Amino acid sequence: MAVRLNSLHLITYLTFTFLISSTHSQQLYTNFYQKSCPRFDQIMQETTTNKQINSPTTAAAALRLFFHDCLVEGCDGSILISSTHFSKAERDADINLSLPGDGFDVVVRAKTALELACPGVVSCADILAVATRNLVTMMGGPFYTVKLGRRDGLVSRASRVNLPKPSMPMNQLIEIFTSRGFTIQEMVALSGAHTIGLSHCTEIRSDIYNYSRTSPIDPSLNRRYAEGLRSACADYRKNPSLSVFNDVMTPRNFDNAYFQNLPRGLGVLKSDRALVMDPRTRPFVELYARDQKAFFDAFGRAMEKLSLYGVKTGRRGEVRRRCDSFN
């Protein structure tokens, strides 16, 4: 009886959370700043374009930052908050310490320009959401709709961070997404974000140096590819920032090559390679590998859904004056 009650309470809680989130997402719309900040779109496009041209790693950095923001407290800019002596913020959780600075920087640049044009109007959460979409499109990825009107969150705690890790078993990865209302297919589509960007050698060291007593290399890795990774990561102990491309074939293009790589053992992260080995996820990997349009359509829809997850509106949030601190 206790088990049934706990299950019922969980279902009730998840339903309530979904309804609350849906209610707040209905208060967002695409032309939210049409009157209050008419140059919003122009400023965002100029800022993201200039930043990406000067720092080509910006797109992947912003995309990862956006994921890490939305999957914790919802898409509320809580990842942008700096820690204080009294509180350790999300960005200082262990898994977030490797977030590239370019993702934070593009938000700061856009916020600075928008504060000059329309002070106190545009939230940092909206800036990150639109910057991510613009940068994905710049890299050749799909354009998708971003509704606006998010408020910035009022909470940012490292202790509340529970994000997917490359070492997690598939059941745990799926649980992280399904508990937030995402399907397995949406999880696979979102994983396609690894078509751009880098992974630190420290994340894959156990797969290419000390996998087991019988083999130093994870057998799910292509042998030649693994040897290349071993060579590229040779100095990772001296230089923990050493990184390798997530997509070895077309690292600077947002395309479906990531999915084409996986059956060939060319996935950098263990969690990437697991997608092609698990019967629950493999059909979607195969679909997106042969049909880029199907991937783009699915990725765009999943990003639209993700961008509405856990949004705050009205008194549940604020418009920060600075993105790295509460008002």
Side-chain angles (χ1 to χ4, degrees), residues 171-240:
N171 283 343
Q172 193 172 355
L173 292 171
I174 288 173
E175 169 63 20
I176 286 175
F177 282 90
T178 56
S179 66
R180 290 163 171 80
F182 293 91
T183 65
I184 292 175
Q185 182 169 6
E186 288 167 338
M187 180 191 78
V188 176
L190 291 172
S191 298
H194 286 170
T195 186
I196 56 174
L198 302 155
S199 289
H200 285 89
C201 291
T202 53
E203 293 180 286
I204 62 171
R205 64 182 184 271
S206 62
D207 294 337
I208 59 176
Y209 292 118
N210 302 296
Y211 181 70
S212 70
R213 290 182 180 179
T214 56
S215 172
I217 296 172
D218 185 335
S220 67
L221 275 166
N222 177 289
R223 187 77 189 191
R224 273 186 67 190
Y225 179 51
E227 294 294 347
L229 293 174
R230 283 166 66 91
S231 177
C233 293
D235 291 331
Y236 80 89
R237 287 187 179 88
K238 296 178 184 176
N239 182 6

Side-chain angles (χ1 to χ4, degrees), residues 13-27:
Y13 170 76
L14 290 174
T15 303
F16 177 75
T17 302
F18 174 77
L19 290 172
I20 291 293
S21 182
S22 298
T23 300
H24 288 291
S25 67
Q26 289 169 6
Q27 298 175 34

Side-chain angles (χ1 to χ4, degrees), residues 14 16 28 55 58 64 66-67 75 109 130 133 146 149 160 167 175 196 214 224 259 267 275 279 294 304 316:
L14 290 174
F16 177 75
L28 274 59
S55 302
T58 301
R64 188 175 172 212
F66 181 67
F67 282 143
C75 303
R109 288 171 184 247
V130 173
R133 190 273 314 279
V146 177
R160 296 170 77 152
S167 59
E175 169 63 20
I196 56 174
T214 56
R224 273 186 67 190
F259 293 106
L275 292 175
E304 287 181 12
R316 294 184 70 241

Side-chain angles (χ1 to χ4, degrees), residues 170 220 259 261-265 270-279 281-283 285-286:
M170 185 56 68
S220 67
F259 293 106
N261 292 341
L262 297 183
R264 298 157 62 192
K270 186 183 291 289
S271 54
D272 291 334
R273 300 190 301 277
L275 292 175
V276 79
M277 293 187 284
D278 192 289
T281 52
R282 184 183 179 95
V285 171
E286 293 173 340

